[in-house]
Amino acid sequence: MLGVYMKYSSACEKTRAEFSKDVFFSMREFFRFAVPSAGMVCLEWWSFEGLILLSGLLPNPELETSVLSLCLTITNLQYYIPYGFAATASTRVSNELGAGNAQAAKVTVEAIMVLVVAEMVFLAMILFFCHLVLGYAFSSKKEIVDRIADMGPLLCLSIIMDGLQAVLSGVARGSGWQDIGAYVNLGAYYLVGVPVGVVLAFVVHLKGKGLWI
């Protein structure tokens, strides 16, 4: 439906592109940005999945994997809001920088950050006030509900930090800094985050909470 709209709508008349052999010559430049962009996103998601796998090595693995999986589900549900802002920021920033309007790009970043911080704080407050009963949306087992409630403050902090990270990743992509972002995510998640989580979970014995921290 989108293809038909772009092909025949008058709104796309000035930007409609016919297929050309130039497509093949521009693929190299496309992949130069696409591969690091995919790396930024994948490195982040894979680290969360890895933590859930690691939770299977903890005592009472059924409980630990259930709790971490539910925590990931909760954060995923809200993540698409800042991710949508990030897509907008990426497009807007790249357009403004391409047009030589650095000041307009800066204003865009500031506006997006204000919107996302307001939305994340509002959502985190709702989650915090509901964290004692939040687990019942997913399970009727009191043990799981209690553990989700215990994780509530951490989830609220995660939502705020994930929102900021999502938007700043969008800004980085719009600025053409995908390769830097991929290296930052590699270092942050795999050289710092996961090892610290392992130490907190298995050495300090914070279990699933340690992995999430």
Side-chain angles (χ1 to χ4, degrees):
M1 290 175 67
L2 285 172
V4 172
Y5 176 81
M6 292 173 65
K7 177 70 175 175
Y8 297 105
S9 173
S10 59
C12 303
E13 187 174 355
K14 294 182 179 180
T15 55
R16 189 180 296 120
E18 300 296 333
F19 186 81
S20 168
K21 64 181 180 180
D22 292 339
V23 169
F24 298 102
F25 297 112
S26 62
M27 279 187 177
R28 181 177 179 181
E29 183 179 9
F30 176 81
F31 280 110
R32 185 166 66 87
F33 291 106
V35 172
S37 293
M40 286 179 65
V41 177
C42 291
L43 286 170
E44 179 186 359
W45 285 104
W46 290 342
S47 68
F48 282 100
E49 300 292 347
L51 291 178
I52 292 175
L53 289 173
L54 285 171
S55 68
L57 301 176
L58 291 168
N60 198 352
E62 184 178 348
L63 174 64
E64 299 294 348
T65 54
S66 296
V67 170
L68 281 186
S69 295
L70 292 177
C71 288
L72 183 58
T73 299
I74 294 167
T75 56
N76 283 353
L77 287 172
Q78 63 77 33
Y79 186 80
Y80 290 103
I81 301 174
Y83 194 77
F85 282 121
T88 306
S90 178
T91 303
R92 182 77 177 179
V93 167
S94 62
N95 286 344
E96 296 295 356
L97 291 178
N101 300 326
Q103 183 60 33
K106 181 180 178 181
V107 171
T108 298
V109 174
E110 291 171 350
I112 289 289
M113 291 299 291
V114 169
L115 286 170
V116 168
V117 168
E119 190 270 333
M120 291 290 99
V121 170
F122 177 72
L123 201 62
M125 288 176 62
I126 293 175
L127 186 63
F128 181 78
F129 288 119
C130 298
H131 73 278
L132 294 177
V133 295
L134 181 63
Y136 286 114
F138 303 95
S139 175
S140 58
K141 293 184 178 180
K142 191 173 187 308
E143 191 176 15
I144 292 179
V145 172
D146 290 343
R147 288 294 301 276
I148 294 291
D150 188 41
M151 296 282 282
L154 286 177
L155 281 174
C156 295
L157 182 61
S158 297
I159 283 176
I160 296 173
M161 299 307 293
D162 276 351
L164 295 175
Q165 190 268 355
V167 171
L168 292 175
S169 292
V171 172
R173 288 192 294 272
S175 304
W177 297 341
Q178 291 91 332
D179 51 346
I180 298 175
Y183 286 122
V184 168
N185 278 3
L186 178 64
Y189 287 106
Y190 295 90
L191 300 183
V192 180
V194 173
V196 169
V198 169
V199 170
L200 291 175
F202 295 98
V203 179
V204 186
H205 302 296
L206 291 179
K207 301 179 181 178
K209 183 183 285 188
L211 289 175
W212 194 262
I213 291 173

